[in-house]
Amino acid sequence: MDEEQYQISEDYNSAPMRDLQAGDYVSGVESGIVFAARMKSWLAFVQANPDNIYQWCPCALGPNFDTFACTSWGCKHSAKIQLDYLIQNNLFSTLEIQKLTAAGFIVNGKAAELSGMYSAIKSGTNGGQIPGQFLGNYVYKPWDSLRHDGICPESLCPFDRTRKDWTPAKFYDPKNITPEADAAAKVWLECIETRYEVVFSTLADIQKHVQQAPLCISAGVCQ
């Protein structure tokens, strides 16, 4: 595609725009992720989660900080659903199951909750909440971190929703990540290859590729 045609000016209101054309953005084309239809619905692998909020779109104000790390929460929920799919369909080796269980990723034969806070800190996705460090909630950052840094179970980097003294600095403090959490994240990297892509897509393309994996669908509502 023509790079100049898609260049965004500093003034968002005057940015050049045109309607999407068929074939402009198609899942799998740029990344080479080969399409495979796995599930018509992933709901069977959606478990109740300790976030106690809507599974697919965690978003809450106040001390929960979900809106400050929304992309991290979307990433970790999608990863957990796919992890459970791999477990329930016996797609791990016996050794991998042992490693994932010992690291806390598998509890009672099911995928454990993953840590959104670990993802948010490691990916630098802070939505500009740390003064002088405006990184923003870029959609790809948590997935890139999942691929290169891994992730840990919620139990090793927990977000205590009962606390009322959370501040952005406290939430994104790297000291929240213990050596045990990093050790578990290395197990993730040993057992799981993360592949991802970010595309501006069409409804038809989304309907097709949601059969391959649960998708994180994002609307450009923030700077």
Side-chain angles (χ1 to χ4, degrees), residues 65-75 116-130 133-146 149 168 171-172:
F65 284 87
D66 298 80
T67 52
F68 298 159
C70 55
T71 52
S72 293
W73 257 262
C75 174
M117 185 158 68
Y118 185 94
S119 173
I121 294 170
K122 283 290 187 178
S123 65
T125 302
N126 61 43
Q129 301 305 316
I130 306 298
Q133 190 186 2
F134 184 76
L135 298 180
N137 286 334
Y138 295 103
V139 173
Y140 74 91
K141 279 184 174 289
W143 289 98
D144 203 44
S145 179
L146 189 69
D149 304 315
F171 180 86
Y172 293 104

Side-chain angles (χ1 to χ4, degrees), residues 84-145:
D84 206 45
Y85 169 86
L86 295 171
I87 295 168
Q88 301 309 318
N89 285 277
N90 300 312
L91 296 175
F92 287 116
S93 68
T94 301
L95 179 58
E96 288 170 335
I97 288 291
Q98 291 173 348
K99 286 183 176 181
L100 290 166
T101 302
F105 288 105
I106 302 176
V107 177
N108 297 325
K110 291 264 192 181
E113 191 68 33
L114 304 180
S115 174
M117 185 158 68
Y118 185 94
S119 173
I121 294 170
K122 283 290 187 178
S123 65
T125 302
N126 61 43
Q129 301 305 316
I130 306 298
Q133 190 186 2
F134 184 76
L135 298 180
N137 286 334
Y138 295 103
V139 173
Y140 74 91
K141 279 184 174 289
W143 289 98
D144 203 44
S145 179

Side-chain angles (χ1 to χ4, degrees), residues 33-63:
I33 299 175
V34 179
F35 174 74
R38 295 190 175 98
M39 303 288 292
K40 291 245 181 195
S41 170
W42 290 85
L43 291 176
F45 299 95
V46 176
Q47 307 167 35
N49 66 86
D51 287 348
N52 197 28
I53 43 181
Y54 189 46
Q55 174 83 19
W56 297 91
C57 184
C59 183
L61 298 174

